[in-house]
């Protein structure tokens, strides 16, 4: 999970964390709560695209999840 405090959003912190994860851990897929429109926009801006949707989260709770992977 990636969380950036509100006062640090928009300063490039999240982008640097994602780049670090991609470069050091080969992260190329993520999951995002569909209700978090700001996060969805952030990941789309970084080149991720939706490829799957679920009405439930990984624990079976009713939180819709969007699965995204980086465009190649």
């Amino acid at each position: 999970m990636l969380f950036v405090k509100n006062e640090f959003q928009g300063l490039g912190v999240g982008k640097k964390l994602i780049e670090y994860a991609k470069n050091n851990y080969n992260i190329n897929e993520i999951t995002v709560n569909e209700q978090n429109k700001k996060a969805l926009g952030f990941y789309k801006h970084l080149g991720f695209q939706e490829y799957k949707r679920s009405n439930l989260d990984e624990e079976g709770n009713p939180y819709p999840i969007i699965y995204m992977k980086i465009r190649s």
Side-chain angles (χ1 to χ4, degrees), residues 1 3-4 8-9 14 17 34 38-40 48 59 63:
M1 290 187 190
F3 295 97
V4 176
F8 297 107
Q9 292 179 6
L17 290 171
E34 183 180 56
K38 192 170 184 180
L40 277 172
F48 287 85
E59 296 176 357
Y63 300 109

Side-chain angles (χ1 to χ4, degrees), residues 2-34:
L2 172 65
F3 295 97
V4 176
K5 289 179 84 172
N6 288 343
E7 61 261 30
F8 297 107
Q9 292 179 6
L11 301 176
V13 174
K15 182 177 180 178
K16 287 181 183 178
L17 290 171
I18 292 296
E19 289 299 321
Y20 183 86
K22 285 170 38 182
N23 294 332
N24 293 284
Y25 298 101
N26 293 321
I27 300 299
N28 61 8
E29 295 186 24
I30 58 165
T31 58
V32 183
N33 183 318
E34 183 180 56

